[in-house]
Amino acid sequence: QKDCSKLETRRAWKTTNPLACPMAAWAAIARCVRSLPHCRDSTFVYHYPVASGKTLSITNDILLVNLRSTVAHLGFAALGYWQSDIGTHSICSGAAMALILLGQAAWSIMLTGQWKSSAFLFCI
């Protein structure tokens, strides 16, 4: 955090908009993970099963490789930016932009994204 509040507990509340509700999204992710083969109560949501019956962690490096691979596949002509232009933070800014395009209020996006300031406006 830019305000030196690392590891501070943040709360997320249920909203009435199913597309912007962090609690509904989290419940859907948990249901999806729980339905995977080899999933146990101790399986974290950032794990995925592999054929050997083990689970592997999704790391920032894996995520970045997949994001950039997708952008490279779609191409500059379709997206307007190169694969080197994005990083894992692009997910946060992309989500904020999607919510703006859905007509969500800025304060709602701040709560959903757990931003303490209006700095996210620079992302959109």
Side-chain angles (χ1 to χ4, degrees):
Q1 294 287 340
K2 291 182 178 95
D3 65 357
C4 299
S5 61
K6 281 188 172 185
L7 304 175
E8 182 178 294
T9 300
R10 301 300 306 264
R11 303 233 189 275
W13 291 271
K14 183 178 180 181
T15 64
T16 57
N17 184 334
L19 295 175
C21 180
M23 300 310 292
W26 185 251
I29 290 168
R31 280 192 301 273
C32 181
V33 170
R34 296 293 303 255
S35 71
L36 295 172
H38 312 295
C39 177
R40 295 182 285 285
D41 287 342
S42 61
T43 304
F44 291 103
V45 296
Y46 57 85
H47 286 154
Y48 62 97
V50 292
S52 66
K54 296 180 181 180
T55 58
L56 297 178
S57 297
I58 299 171
T59 64
N60 282 343
D61 292 337
I62 290 171
L63 190 57
L64 183 60
V65 166
N66 282 285
L67 284 171
R68 289 185 172 169
S69 172
T70 301
V71 170
H73 175 74
L74 295 172
F76 181 86
L79 299 173
Y81 50 88
W82 302 104
Q83 65 188 34
S84 59
D85 293 334
I86 67 164
T88 54
H89 185 72
S90 300
I91 296 169
C92 295
S93 56
M97 185 61 156
L99 290 171
I100 282 290
L101 293 174
L102 285 171
Q104 292 296 302
W107 64 266
S108 175
I109 296 169
M110 283 180 66
L111 288 174
T112 303
Q114 299 184 7
W115 281 288
K116 287 183 168 183
S117 71
S118 59
F120 79 96
L121 293 171
F122 292 106
C123 295
I124 58 172

